[in-house]
Amino acid sequence: MRLITLCENTAAKPGFMAEWGLSILLQADNLNVLFDTGGSFAVVRNADKFGVDLSVVDKIVLSHGHADHTGGLREVLRRTGEREVIAHPAIWEAKYTKRPYEEKEAYIGVPFAREELESLGASFKLSKEPVQISDNIMTTGEIAMTTDYETIEPNLLVKEGDVLKPDPLADDLALVVKTEQGLVIILGCGHRGIINTIRHAQRLTGEERVYTVVGGTHLAPASEERIDKTVAELKRIGVHRIGVSHCTGFRASVRLAQTFGDKFFLNNAGSEFTLP
């Protein structure tokens, strides 16, 4: 199994492009699964740098409907041609945010019309339930929120008619791979909580061992209490490796690095992870 990070906020190596967003290519079970597409064109540029031919991508999975995870989809489809795109139906909701430094709310949803993407070859498979991609690869589907400390940020909104309401981010999902060493869980943003996501994956697969968690953990805006509880639970679960990206933030990254030592790694654009 191989993970190649094609887009992330920071570049891990010279020559790679940094872009706010995330895209990870999973190679396993004789499949190439592209998880998210970054914010614009970094994914195709970095794929060229890696020597990755995006035409070999078999499936595209979208973690949720925010632009920094879907904005590269048009450029990716121009490389892949017709491909199935797996996501939750709520990716097409009108998503907004109200940032403290902006006077008005900003649209942060999918930046393309569905019809345009379909004209480029996208065949959307929208499901609230887990989707089995291969014997060992599946999406989580809609993630149950069971912890009392993992909550959705109040500034993330969805427009219904002319009314802005809190967005429950029901479309937030992850990719799960069953391996001989345990689960590998790939997060987009982890809006519904990294612990909720891990627990959900354990229930779905019946596998308690978690070998690696990689991707965005959305701990950048988290309180110290939430970070404390998250780190303690990751230790209790016995996560063997953790690689953080995108929306994890400096404070949480430092805490995780201090706690996990050489089991911790920064997962940036140009990073590559291979599981024997």
Side-chain angles (χ1 to χ4, degrees), residues 32-63:
N32 291 275
V33 180
L34 186 65
F35 185 63
D36 285 341
T37 64
S40 61
F41 57 86
V43 61
V44 295
R45 173 173 169 169
N46 289 337
D48 289 343
K49 184 71 177 175
F50 252 121
V52 170
D53 179 2
L54 290 175
S55 70
V56 305
V57 168
D58 298 290
K59 305 279 185 181
I60 300 169
V61 178
L62 300 178
S63 67

Side-chain angles (χ1 to χ4, degrees), residues 68-141:
D68 51 344
H69 296 256
T70 63
L73 185 52
R74 179 167 60 189
E75 294 302 318
V76 167
L77 288 168
R78 286 173 173 163
R79 299 286 187 97
T80 63
E82 294 183 5
R83 288 295 183 276
E84 184 175 67
V85 182
I86 301 167
H88 187 284
I91 65 162
W92 293 112
E93 292 179 346
K95 296 179 180 293
Y96 286 79
T97 188
K98 182 65 175 71
R99 301 183 180 104
Y101 52 85
E102 294 178 340
E103 292 185 8
K104 295 182 66 177
E105 65 274 2
Y107 177 75
I108 57 169
V110 180
F112 314 112
R114 179 171 178 173
E115 293 75 15
E116 178 187 3
L117 297 173
E118 288 175 335
S119 74
L120 292 169
S123 173
F124 286 97
K125 181 172 184 175
L126 303 178
S127 175
K128 295 181 181 181
E129 302 302 318
V131 174
Q132 194 78 42
I133 297 173
S134 70
D135 288 345
N136 297 302
I137 306 170
M138 68 187 302
T139 71
T140 59

